[in-house]
Amino acid sequence: MSDKVDFGAAKNAISKQFHQFSGKLGHFADRAFDQDWIEAENRPGKAEGGFCASMPLAKESRIFLTYRDTYQDLITLAHELGHAYHNFILHDEPALAQQKGTSVAETASTFMENLVLDAVIEQTADQNERLAMLEMKIRDGLKYVVSVPNMFRFERKFYNQRTDGMISAEQIKTMIAEVENDIYGGLVEELALHKWMFIGHFYDAEKAFYNIPYTIGYLFSNGVYEQAKQQPEGFPERYDALLRDSGKMTVEQLGKQYLGADITQVAFWRDAQKSLCSAIEEYLELTEKSWQGIE
């Protein structure tokens, strides 16, 4: 396997994995590619990242990303197609029922990431490339289970102090330093003390605690993914029904109705981290073997 993956190869890989999960999902992806719903050109001045826009009247979506022939781009493309599929399922629902909260908005996108990335890892024979794929999975996972919850601690501290009056920039920087040092214990040499100024999820005055729903969404989606692996029979139909009701039900209701899970209990959230924990364990085993080989 090469360390580069062009757009055509990404299209084939995604289509294959989506079709293996369900014909409906696979045909949807084929339609998105064939009808040019995806603007992926890598050109000067174009920003990185990806974005999916729903077009409910046309019952379509449009995906914008800068595709630079990397495996991270492949996973980003699968992620955005997950959003588009979620939109596709909801487009037949009443307008208000198409509005989904952040905690469930990442359900399909993270699911599709797992679907494609796990297949790439499984098909990778070269140890170094397998390590790179595992690192990608681990890095993204730790962002949601470590970094984002830590930023929630900062936000909570900020709002608690804000009830006593105005807060200076120096005080905010001190708060960030405290929570970052609590979690990283000095491992990070230079802390990003000004992130409250340049990350919109912090300074958007209309959306307090904007970050933490992404962690909930990531873990909920991973819980869904674990069930897909453990109970594959009839799961695609249940999955579509879950997405269809994501604008009508709470996360707790969706879990009970379609997963038979009580997500108010710790057990669900532990299961949701199994995939990440397995990736970390395999990464440590492979790196240990690599060091032994060098010695």
Side-chain angles (χ1 to χ4, degrees):
M1 181 183 291
S2 169
D3 60 352
K4 294 286 186 180
V5 53
D6 63 32
F7 190 81
K11 172 184 174 180
N12 292 337
I14 290 171
S15 178
K16 178 181 178 181
Q17 297 308 316
F18 282 19
H19 272 285
Q20 285 186 356
F21 178 72
S22 81
K24 185 175 182 178
L25 174 60
H27 290 306
F28 169 80
D30 293 342
R31 180 187 174 197
F33 284 117
D34 294 343
Q35 296 185 6
D36 295 325
W37 289 9
I38 304 164
E39 200 289 287
E41 183 185 13
N42 179 12
R43 57 181 180 271
K46 189 178 176 189
E48 297 181 4
F51 176 75
C52 179
S54 174
M55 302 171 65
L57 296 182
K59 295 187 177 183
E60 297 179 357
S61 292
R62 293 294 183 269
I63 292 171
F64 303 88
L65 75 154
T66 304
Y67 195 87
R68 298 177 176 175
D69 295 342
T70 70
Y71 277 96
Q72 185 62 65
D73 296 327
L74 164 64
I75 301 308
T76 298
L77 181 55
H79 179 103
E80 299 306 332
L81 280 166
H83 281 306
Y85 185 70
H86 200 164
N87 294 338
F88 166 70
I89 295 294
L90 287 173
H91 280 158
D92 287 331
E93 297 299 302
L96 292 179
Q98 294 183 32
Q99 305 302 311
K100 50 195 180 294
T102 307
S103 295
V104 293
E106 299 299 316
T107 300
S109 54
T110 303
F111 186 95
M112 302 313 167
E113 276 192 42
N114 282 322
L115 200 64
V116 175
L117 182 54
D118 281 359
V120 171
I121 292 172
E122 187 63 31
Q123 295 163 16
T124 302
D126 182 270
Q127 181 168 302
N128 289 330
E129 291 176 356
R130 191 176 184 91
L131 278 168
M133 297 299 108
L134 288 167
E135 181 180 346
M136 187 188 306
K137 186 180 183 76
I138 294 165
R139 186 178 63 245
D140 288 347
L142 292 180
K143 175 175 67 176
Y144 292 113
V145 301
V146 177
S147 299
V148 172
N150 202 43
M151 287 303 94
F152 170 69
R153 295 183 188 100
F154 156 70
E155 290 176 299
R156 188 168 54 184
K157 180 176 289 194
F158 171 85
Y159 284 109
N160 285 339
Q161 252 184 258
R162 183 66 182 84
T163 60
D164 295 329
M166 297 295 291
I167 302 175
S168 70
E170 287 302 316
Q171 287 175 303
I172 297 175
K173 287 161 60 178
T174 298
M175 287 182 216
I176 290 182
E178 288 173 351
V179 297
E180 294 283 83
N181 283 322
D182 282 346
I183 198 73
Y184 297 118
L187 290 174
V188 179
E189 293 183 0
E190 187 174 346
L191 301 175
L193 300 179
H194 294 92
K195 63 176 66 178
W196 56 279
M197 295 175 63
F198 60 80
I199 298 179
H201 286 197
F202 287 118
Y203 64 72
D204 188 332
E206 296 182 359
K207 296 179 179 177
F209 301 106
Y210 194 173
N211 297 276
I212 197 64
Y214 283 90
T215 290
I216 298 169
Y218 167 81
L219 291 173
F220 181 69
S221 181
N222 275 312
V224 175
Y225 185 65
E226 283 300 312
Q227 282 226 1
K229 292 191 294 184
Q230 296 168 13
Q231 304 172 24
E233 187 68 30
F235 191 85
E237 292 74 23
R238 278 195 291 138
Y239 182 69
D240 286 351
L242 183 153
L243 296 181
R244 189 173 296 112
D245 281 341
S246 60
K248 306 173 188 173
M249 293 183 174
T250 65
V251 182
E252 291 84 356
Q253 291 170 332
L254 290 170
K256 183 177 181 180
Q257 178 74 20
Y258 296 108
L259 306 177
D262 180 0
I263 70 169
T264 65
Q265 301 300 309
V266 173
F268 174 85
W269 304 103
R270 283 181 176 160
D271 285 346
Q273 296 179 71
K274 282 183 177 178
S275 180
L276 176 59
C277 291
S278 295
I280 292 172
E281 289 169 3
E282 183 179 356
Y283 186 88
L284 292 173
E285 289 174 5
L286 290 177
T287 51
E288 180 67 23
K289 289 179 182 177
S290 295
W291 279 110
Q292 290 174 351
I294 294 173
E295 294 172 355

